[in-house]
Amino acid sequence: MLARPHKQLIYNGRFTSQKTTGVQRVARELIAALVQLSHDGDVTVVVPPQQGIVPVSGTKTVKMGFGKGVIWEQLVLPLFAGRCRIVNLSNSGSIFRGNQVIFMTDAAVFDTPAHFSWRFRTWYRIMFWILARTSSCVLTNSNFSRDRLAHHCGVAAARIGVVPLGADHLDPIVADTSVLQEHALLPSRFVLAVSSMNPTKNFARLVAAFRKIDDPSIDLVIVGMKNTTVFGNAHEMLEVAPNIKHVGYISDEKLKALYQHANCFLYPSLYEGFGIPPLEAMRNGCPTLVGRAAALPETCADAALYCDPESLDDIAGKLRELLNSDSLRADLIRRGHLHADKYRWATSARMLTEIITGL
């Protein structure tokens, strides 16, 4: 057990044993930014004692207790953490601990329950409801998510702090253009779509809208993996066509190359608590078309072209407009660069630090 003062912070590192997608990205980038801000250089991340841990560079990584997964997070971590304050940045935390910080990414398990397996949504609803009341600090990433979480968890919106996320994590990475050759892609001759295969990402309409363009010289490239444990056994959403290419989960180096060489980025999502991918696209010079829904107007402001995510015709029409207008693309690239530059992980980490140190 760690022998530390009452308010010594330790960071829940369960995410270090998981593949990096949206939730894990948030935790990893926030902690990496906190390392850069730390005056004493001591940011402690506690992790399960298992193989396959990918530590956050610069942190003090401590293997704690026994077991792994949910059991480790719910029972072992709070037991072995002693009097330390646990900071949970990856959307979950122990319901048996009160003296902690919880970062909830969105209220999707309440707002879009049909898009999650019943076990997952039931557990997360219970966990969020308890943590919203018992945690010493509750955080989320947008005003939209704050209001939805407050509504569903039955707490005042003022109890939930807002820390917007960053979009500069791909900056130091060297783009790997081999991904273009691997999938027979030509620069500026493909539309890019990036996210998990969550039904809220609207891939069925996305694919159908792309097919309405009916231009075999343009490819649709879909990046992301499907998680049936979380999202249930949804039917396959990707239609088979020569110019529709599902490349699965890829490295950040290859993702950056796709952003930089795509004609445009298509993200007609039905529900987002924040929306990092559109900001990633903007920061890498890719004009962006997003759905006018949930937190996306808050996150993207006037730097994106908007469509009605529930209208196949509108998605197709806006995509066609973007593909056919060099001036529109150039304007969106300019506005996207300026807008995405406001979203830096260092800024997020400073906001997080100010909130936590004020507890």
Side-chain angles (χ1 to χ4, degrees), residues 154-232:
V155 298
R159 173 162 171 69
I160 304 175
V162 176
V163 177
L165 306 179
D168 56 334
H169 43 275
L170 298 180
D171 287 8
I173 293 173
V174 177
D176 181 0
T177 58
S178 69
V179 68
L180 302 179
Q181 289 75 41
E182 288 174 14
H183 301 286
L185 301 172
L186 296 176
S188 297
R189 300 305 296 170
F190 64 93
V191 174
L192 180 63
V194 176
S195 76
S196 65
M197 294 293 106
N198 183 336
T200 62
K201 306 307 180 184
N202 210 16
F203 275 105
R205 286 196 187 94
L206 183 155
V207 170
F210 174 78
R211 298 195 73 171
K212 283 176 71 72
I213 301 300
D214 195 25
D215 183 348
S217 71
I218 297 285
D219 292 322
L220 172 63
V221 178
I222 299 174
V223 176
M225 62 181 185
K226 185 175 180 181
N227 188 335
T228 57
T229 300
V230 175
F231 304 125

Side-chain angles (χ1 to χ4, degrees), residues 220-252:
L220 172 63
V221 178
I222 299 174
V223 176
M225 62 181 185
K226 185 175 180 181
N227 188 335
T228 57
T229 300
V230 175
F231 304 125
N233 295 310
H235 294 297
E236 182 59 55
M237 293 176 288
L238 306 181
E239 298 184 51
V240 177
N243 62 337
I244 297 177
K245 301 176 179 180
H246 183 203
V247 302
Y249 183 88
I250 61 174
S251 68
D252 283 347

Side-chain angles (χ1 to χ4, degrees), residues 13-225:
R14 180 187 168 199
F15 70 90
T16 61
S17 65
Q18 301 167 332
K19 184 166 287 189
T20 300
T21 56
V23 169
Q24 295 78 18
R25 168 82 71 190
V26 170
R28 186 170 291 278
E29 296 299 337
L30 277 174
I31 292 175
L34 288 167
V35 170
Q36 298 301 313
L37 293 178
S38 177
H39 297 300
D40 57 14
D42 184 10
V43 175
T44 301
V45 179
V46 292
V47 301
Q50 65 182 87
Q51 300 297 318
I53 296 293
V54 182
V56 180
S57 179
T59 63
K60 178 181 179 182
T61 303
V62 178
K63 290 191 175 182
M64 179 178 283
F66 54 87
K68 60 182 180 179
V70 173
I71 298 299
W72 179 85
E73 182 176 67
Q74 291 298 313
L75 301 175
V76 179
L77 174 57
L79 176 66
F80 279 76
R83 291 167 59 88
C84 298
R85 173 170 283 147
I86 303 171
V87 181
N88 307 279
L89 299 178
S90 57
N91 207 40
S92 61
S94 174
I95 62 175
F96 304 106
R97 182 77 174 223
N99 182 33
Q100 62 183 332
V101 175
I102 177 69
F103 195 106
M104 301 179 183
T105 57
D106 58 47
V109 291
F110 299 103
D111 285 334
T112 62
H115 296 149
F116 297 88
S117 67
W118 72 266
R119 287 186 179 88
F120 184 90
R121 68 173 179 262
T122 300
W123 164 237
Y124 267 77
R125 284 178 170 187
I126 293 170
M127 179 171 58
F128 278 11
W129 194 90
I130 293 173
L131 291 176
R133 287 164 170 72
T134 62
S135 298
S136 53
C137 180
V138 183
L139 299 170
T140 191
N141 46 41
S142 67
N143 294 322
F144 171 81
S145 289
R146 177 200 61 196
D147 293 344
R148 298 309 297 158
L149 285 165
H151 169 74
H152 288 295
C153 295
V155 298
R159 173 162 171 69
I160 304 175
V162 176
V163 177
L165 306 179
D168 56 334
H169 43 275
L170 298 180
D171 287 8
I173 293 173
V174 177
D176 181 0
T177 58
S178 69
V179 68
L180 302 179
Q181 289 75 41
E182 288 174 14
H183 301 286
L185 301 172
L186 296 176
S188 297
R189 300 305 296 170
F190 64 93
V191 174
L192 180 63
V194 176
S195 76
S196 65
M197 294 293 106
N198 183 336
T200 62
K201 306 307 180 184
N202 210 16
F203 275 105
R205 286 196 187 94
L206 183 155
V207 170
F210 174 78
R211 298 195 73 171
K212 283 176 71 72
I213 301 300
D214 195 25
D215 183 348
S217 71
I218 297 285
D219 292 322
L220 172 63
V221 178
I222 299 174
V223 176
M225 62 181 185

